[in-house]
mmCIF file of all heavy atoms in Angstrom:
data_model
loop_
_atom_site.group_PDB
_atom_site.id
_atom_site.type_symbol
_atom_site.label_atom_id
_atom_site.label_comp_id
_atom_site.label_asym_id
_atom_site.label_seq_id
_atom_site.Cartn_x
_atom_site.Cartn_y
_atom_site.Cartn_z
ATOM 1 N N ILE A 78 -17.463 -15.150 34.767
ATOM 2 C CA ILE A 78 -18.135 -15.554 33.568
ATOM 3 C C ILE A 78 -17.565 -16.853 33.196
ATOM 4 O O ILE A 78 -16.433 -17.225 33.134
ATOM 5 C CB ILE A 78 -18.029 -14.545 32.451
ATOM 6 C CG1 ILE A 78 -18.636 -13.238 32.821
ATOM 7 C CG2 ILE A 78 -18.665 -14.922 31.210
ATOM 8 C CD1 ILE A 78 -18.360 -12.115 31.856
ATOM 9 N N LEU A 122 -24.733 -11.608 22.105
ATOM 10 C CA LEU A 122 -24.247 -10.244 22.013
ATOM 11 C C LEU A 122 -22.965 -10.132 21.317
ATOM 12 O O LEU A 122 -22.156 -11.111 21.265
ATOM 13 C CB LEU A 122 -24.106 -9.546 23.399
ATOM 14 C CG LEU A 122 -25.392 -9.499 24.367
ATOM 15 C CD1 LEU A 122 -25.405 -10.628 25.354
ATOM 16 C CD2 LEU A 122 -25.414 -8.204 24.986
ATOM 17 N N ARG A 270 -29.058 -4.543 23.114
ATOM 18 C CA ARG A 270 -29.599 -3.928 24.291
ATOM 19 C C ARG A 270 -29.306 -4.702 25.511
ATOM 20 O O ARG A 270 -29.888 -5.723 25.712
ATOM 21 C CB ARG A 270 -31.070 -3.678 24.033
ATOM 22 C CG ARG A 270 -31.366 -2.701 22.860
ATOM 23 C CD ARG A 270 -32.810 -2.598 22.609
ATOM 24 N NE ARG A 270 -33.071 -1.441 21.786
ATOM 25 C CZ ARG A 270 -34.334 -1.123 21.298
ATOM 26 N NH1 ARG A 270 -35.377 -1.926 21.526
ATOM 27 N NH2 ARG A 270 -34.512 -0.095 20.485
ATOM 28 N N LEU A 271 -28.499 -4.142 26.388
ATOM 29 C CA LEU A 271 -28.076 -4.959 27.633
ATOM 30 C C LEU A 271 -29.206 -5.066 28.546
ATOM 31 O O LEU A 271 -29.309 -6.073 29.308
ATOM 32 C CB LEU A 271 -26.921 -4.101 28.316
ATOM 33 C CG LEU A 271 -25.642 -3.991 27.472
ATOM 34 C CD1 LEU A 271 -24.560 -3.311 28.400
ATOM 35 C CD2 LEU A 271 -25.128 -5.370 27.109
ATOM 36 N N ASP A 272 -30.258 -4.159 28.582
ATOM 37 C CA ASP A 272 -31.379 -4.287 29.441
ATOM 38 C C ASP A 272 -32.204 -5.569 29.134
ATOM 39 O O ASP A 272 -32.855 -6.130 30.110
ATOM 40 C CB ASP A 272 -32.256 -3.122 29.463
ATOM 41 C CG ASP A 272 -32.831 -2.753 28.104
ATOM 42 O OD1 ASP A 272 -32.035 -2.807 27.161
ATOM 43 O OD2 ASP A 272 -34.090 -2.546 28.013
ATOM 44 N N GLU A 273 -32.094 -6.093 27.955
ATOM 45 C CA GLU A 273 -32.872 -7.304 27.541
ATOM 46 C C GLU A 273 -32.261 -8.522 28.187
ATOM 47 O O GLU A 273 -33.011 -9.553 28.286
ATOM 48 C CB GLU A 273 -32.916 -7.459 26.045
ATOM 49 C CG GLU A 273 -33.784 -6.408 25.346
ATOM 50 C CD GLU A 273 -33.810 -6.482 23.844
ATOM 51 O OE1 GLU A 273 -33.021 -7.272 23.208
ATOM 52 O OE2 GLU A 273 -34.564 -5.732 23.240
ATOM 53 N N LEU A 274 -30.984 -8.458 28.669
ATOM 54 C CA LEU A 274 -30.383 -9.610 29.347
ATOM 55 C C LEU A 274 -31.199 -9.910 30.627
ATOM 56 O O LEU A 274 -31.042 -11.139 31.033
ATOM 57 C CB LEU A 274 -28.893 -9.277 29.712
ATOM 58 C CG LEU A 274 -27.913 -9.265 28.566
ATOM 59 C CD1 LEU A 274 -26.591 -8.759 28.989
ATOM 60 C CD2 LEU A 274 -27.790 -10.631 27.931
ATOM 61 N N ASP A 275 -31.900 -9.002 31.201
ATOM 62 C CA ASP A 275 -32.578 -9.308 32.442
ATOM 63 C C ASP A 275 -33.746 -10.368 32.172
ATOM 64 O O ASP A 275 -34.090 -10.977 33.203
ATOM 65 C CB ASP A 275 -33.356 -7.981 32.913
ATOM 66 C CG ASP A 275 -32.328 -6.990 33.346
ATOM 67 O OD1 ASP A 275 -31.144 -7.341 33.635
ATOM 68 O OD2 ASP A 275 -32.597 -5.733 33.378
ATOM 69 N N TYR A 276 -34.161 -10.615 30.974
ATOM 70 C CA TYR A 276 -35.245 -11.541 30.726
ATOM 71 C C TYR A 276 -34.640 -12.942 30.293
ATOM 72 O O TYR A 276 -35.346 -13.804 30.100
ATOM 73 C CB TYR A 276 -36.007 -11.081 29.540
ATOM 74 C CG TYR A 276 -36.741 -9.817 29.900
ATOM 75 C CD1 TYR A 276 -36.178 -8.539 29.631
ATOM 76 C CD2 TYR A 276 -38.039 -9.791 30.287
ATOM 77 C CE1 TYR A 276 -36.838 -7.369 29.964
ATOM 78 C CE2 TYR A 276 -38.787 -8.681 30.642
ATOM 79 C CZ TYR A 276 -38.145 -7.426 30.472
ATOM 80 O OH TYR A 276 -38.810 -6.274 30.735
ATOM 81 N N SER A 277 -33.272 -13.077 30.187
ATOM 82 C CA SER A 277 -32.685 -14.264 29.672
ATOM 83 C C SER A 277 -32.236 -15.264 30.780
ATOM 84 O O SER A 277 -32.051 -14.876 32.019
ATOM 85 C CB SER A 277 -31.529 -13.941 28.754
ATOM 86 O OG SER A 277 -30.421 -13.449 29.531
ATOM 87 N N ALA A 280 -26.382 -16.043 28.377
ATOM 88 C CA ALA A 280 -25.958 -15.228 27.222
ATOM 89 C C ALA A 280 -24.560 -15.634 26.748
ATOM 90 O O ALA A 280 -23.767 -16.198 27.529
ATOM 91 C CB ALA A 280 -25.970 -13.727 27.624
ATOM 92 N N LEU A 282 -21.233 -14.102 24.413
ATOM 93 C CA LEU A 282 -20.586 -12.890 23.944
ATOM 94 C C LEU A 282 -19.744 -13.377 22.659
ATOM 95 O O LEU A 282 -18.848 -14.290 22.855
ATOM 96 C CB LEU A 282 -19.651 -12.262 24.933
ATOM 97 C CG LEU A 282 -18.864 -10.999 24.426
ATOM 98 C CD1 LEU A 282 -19.795 -9.920 23.889
ATOM 99 C CD2 LEU A 282 -17.978 -10.440 25.508
ATOM 100 N N ALA A 290 -17.288 -15.717 25.867
ATOM 101 C CA ALA A 290 -17.709 -15.820 27.217
ATOM 102 C C ALA A 290 -19.199 -16.340 27.134
ATOM 103 O O ALA A 290 -19.859 -16.076 26.177
ATOM 104 C CB ALA A 290 -17.736 -14.475 27.916
ATOM 105 N N GLY A 292 -22.673 -17.878 29.793
ATOM 106 C CA GLY A 292 -23.176 -18.216 31.091
ATOM 107 C C GLY A 292 -24.155 -17.287 31.627
ATOM 108 O O GLY A 292 -24.972 -16.669 30.963
ATOM 109 N N ASN A 293 -24.094 -17.046 32.941
ATOM 110 C CA ASN A 293 -24.992 -16.148 33.713
ATOM 111 C C ASN A 293 -25.019 -14.750 33.032
ATOM 112 O O ASN A 293 -23.984 -14.194 32.860
ATOM 113 C CB ASN A 293 -24.605 -16.096 35.199
ATOM 114 C CG ASN A 293 -25.589 -15.362 36.024
ATOM 115 O OD1 ASN A 293 -26.042 -14.257 35.678
ATOM 116 N ND2 ASN A 293 -25.949 -15.982 37.157
ATOM 117 N N PRO A 294 -26.146 -14.172 32.745
ATOM 118 C CA PRO A 294 -26.229 -12.937 32.025
ATOM 119 C C PRO A 294 -25.782 -11.685 32.923
ATOM 120 O O PRO A 294 -25.205 -10.813 32.400
ATOM 121 C CB PRO A 294 -27.622 -12.754 31.664
ATOM 122 C CG PRO A 294 -28.486 -13.619 32.546
ATOM 123 C CD PRO A 294 -27.583 -14.771 32.909
ATOM 124 N N GLU A 295 -25.833 -11.819 34.203
ATOM 125 C CA GLU A 295 -25.613 -10.671 35.038
ATOM 126 C C GLU A 295 -24.067 -10.310 35.009
ATOM 127 O O GLU A 295 -23.706 -9.162 34.830
ATOM 128 C CB GLU A 295 -25.926 -10.813 36.577
ATOM 129 C CG GLU A 295 -27.442 -10.509 36.782
ATOM 130 C CD GLU A 295 -27.721 -9.013 36.359
ATOM 131 O OE1 GLU A 295 -26.916 -8.088 36.711
ATOM 132 O OE2 GLU A 295 -28.727 -8.777 35.670
ATOM 133 N N PRO A 296 -23.127 -11.212 35.197
ATOM 134 C CA PRO A 296 -21.751 -10.926 35.103
ATOM 135 C C PRO A 296 -21.340 -10.359 33.795
ATOM 136 O O PRO A 296 -20.566 -9.413 33.584
ATOM 137 C CB PRO A 296 -20.977 -12.206 35.445
ATOM 138 C CG PRO A 296 -21.983 -13.011 36.183
ATOM 139 C CD PRO A 296 -23.262 -12.599 35.644
ATOM 140 N N LEU A 297 -21.933 -10.949 32.686
ATOM 141 C CA LEU A 297 -21.683 -10.537 31.383
ATOM 142 C C LEU A 297 -22.187 -9.121 31.117
ATOM 143 O O LEU A 297 -21.530 -8.252 30.508
ATOM 144 C CB LEU A 297 -22.408 -11.481 30.327
ATOM 145 C CG LEU A 297 -22.073 -11.250 28.892
ATOM 146 C CD1 LEU A 297 -20.604 -11.206 28.581
ATOM 147 C CD2 LEU A 297 -22.681 -12.273 28.054
ATOM 148 N N LYS A 298 -23.409 -8.788 31.629
ATOM 149 C CA LYS A 298 -23.956 -7.465 31.581
ATOM 150 C C LYS A 298 -23.019 -6.425 32.191
ATOM 151 O O LYS A 298 -22.698 -5.410 31.728
ATOM 152 C CB LYS A 298 -25.288 -7.418 32.165
ATOM 153 C CG LYS A 298 -26.023 -6.077 32.124
ATOM 154 C CD LYS A 298 -27.379 -6.162 32.726
ATOM 155 C CE LYS A 298 -28.073 -4.836 32.549
ATOM 156 N NZ LYS A 298 -29.457 -4.956 33.234
ATOM 157 N N ARG A 299 -22.517 -6.702 33.394
ATOM 158 C CA ARG A 299 -21.538 -5.863 34.173
ATOM 159 C C ARG A 299 -20.322 -5.679 33.400
ATOM 160 O O ARG A 299 -19.789 -4.609 33.330
ATOM 161 C CB ARG A 299 -21.309 -6.360 35.570
ATOM 162 C CG ARG A 299 -22.605 -6.299 36.496
ATOM 163 C CD ARG A 299 -22.061 -6.504 37.974
ATOM 164 N NE ARG A 299 -21.502 -7.868 38.147
ATOM 165 C CZ ARG A 299 -22.247 -8.918 38.527
ATOM 166 N NH1 ARG A 299 -23.579 -8.759 38.615
ATOM 167 N NH2 ARG A 299 -21.683 -10.161 38.715
ATOM 168 N N ARG A 300 -19.813 -6.772 32.768
ATOM 169 C CA ARG A 300 -18.553 -6.697 31.982
ATOM 170 C C ARG A 300 -18.789 -5.711 30.835
ATOM 171 O O ARG A 300 -17.831 -4.882 30.519
ATOM 172 C CB ARG A 300 -18.206 -7.991 31.566
ATOM 173 C CG ARG A 300 -16.996 -8.181 30.505
ATOM 174 C CD ARG A 300 -16.714 -9.541 30.206
ATOM 175 N NE ARG A 300 -15.842 -9.681 29.047
ATOM 176 C CZ ARG A 300 -15.374 -10.877 28.632
ATOM 177 N NH1 ARG A 300 -15.571 -11.989 29.328
ATOM 178 N NH2 ARG A 300 -14.518 -10.916 27.650
ATOM 179 N N LEU A 301 -19.866 -5.867 30.157
ATOM 180 C CA LEU A 301 -20.103 -4.998 28.936
ATOM 181 C C LEU A 301 -20.391 -3.528 29.361
ATOM 182 O O LEU A 301 -19.905 -2.630 28.664
ATOM 183 C CB LEU A 301 -21.248 -5.608 28.149
ATOM 184 C CG LEU A 301 -20.916 -6.942 27.496
ATOM 185 C CD1 LEU A 301 -22.197 -7.487 26.857
ATOM 186 C CD2 LEU A 301 -19.754 -6.713 26.444
ATOM 187 N N MET A 302 -21.018 -3.340 30.447
ATOM 188 C CA MET A 302 -21.234 -1.992 30.941
ATOM 189 C C MET A 302 -19.998 -1.187 31.296
ATOM 190 O O MET A 302 -19.856 0.049 31.076
ATOM 191 C CB MET A 302 -22.242 -1.978 32.087
ATOM 192 C CG MET A 302 -23.685 -2.382 31.697
ATOM 193 S SD MET A 302 -24.841 -2.393 33.156
ATOM 194 C CE MET A 302 -24.906 -0.631 33.535
ATOM 195 N N ARG A 303 -18.998 -1.967 31.762
ATOM 196 C CA ARG A 303 -17.678 -1.277 32.059
ATOM 197 C C ARG A 303 -16.962 -0.699 30.761
ATOM 198 O O ARG A 303 -16.152 0.093 30.864
ATOM 199 C CB ARG A 303 -16.785 -2.199 32.815
ATOM 200 C CG ARG A 303 -17.239 -2.511 34.257
ATOM 201 C CD ARG A 303 -16.134 -3.045 35.099
ATOM 202 N NE ARG A 303 -15.855 -4.466 34.547
ATOM 203 C CZ ARG A 303 -16.354 -5.615 35.023
ATOM 204 N NH1 ARG A 303 -17.245 -5.476 36.022
ATOM 205 N NH2 ARG A 303 -15.936 -6.715 34.544
ATOM 206 N N ARG A 304 -17.368 -1.336 29.623
ATOM 207 C CA ARG A 304 -16.739 -0.909 28.432
ATOM 208 C C ARG A 304 -17.365 0.391 27.822
ATOM 209 O O ARG A 304 -16.817 1.033 26.976
ATOM 210 C CB ARG A 304 -16.901 -1.957 27.332
ATOM 211 C CG ARG A 304 -16.236 -3.308 27.629
ATOM 212 C CD ARG A 304 -16.441 -4.233 26.405
ATOM 213 N NE ARG A 304 -15.685 -5.517 26.719
ATOM 214 C CZ ARG A 304 -15.697 -6.510 25.764
ATOM 215 N NH1 ARG A 304 -16.317 -6.322 24.655
ATOM 216 N NH2 ARG A 304 -15.062 -7.694 26.053
ATOM 217 N N VAL A 305 -18.608 0.646 28.311
ATOM 218 C CA VAL A 305 -19.330 1.858 27.750
ATOM 219 C C VAL A 305 -18.640 3.106 28.196
ATOM 220 O O VAL A 305 -18.304 3.282 29.338
ATOM 221 C CB VAL A 305 -20.755 1.809 28.143
ATOM 222 C CG1 VAL A 305 -21.510 3.005 27.622
ATOM 223 C CG2 VAL A 305 -21.400 0.522 27.599
#
Side-chain angles (χ1 to χ4, degrees):
I78 299 174
L122 299 100
R270 294 176 165 174
L271 296 184
D272 58 312
E273 293 181 350
L274 286 172
D275 296 338
Y276 297 86
S277 70
L282 177 60
N293 189 310
E295 272 306 311
L297 184 54
K298 183 178 180 180
R299 291 193 296 269
R300 170 177 169 175
L301 293 173
M302 288 180 70
R303 287 196 295 270
R304 296 183 179 181
V305 178

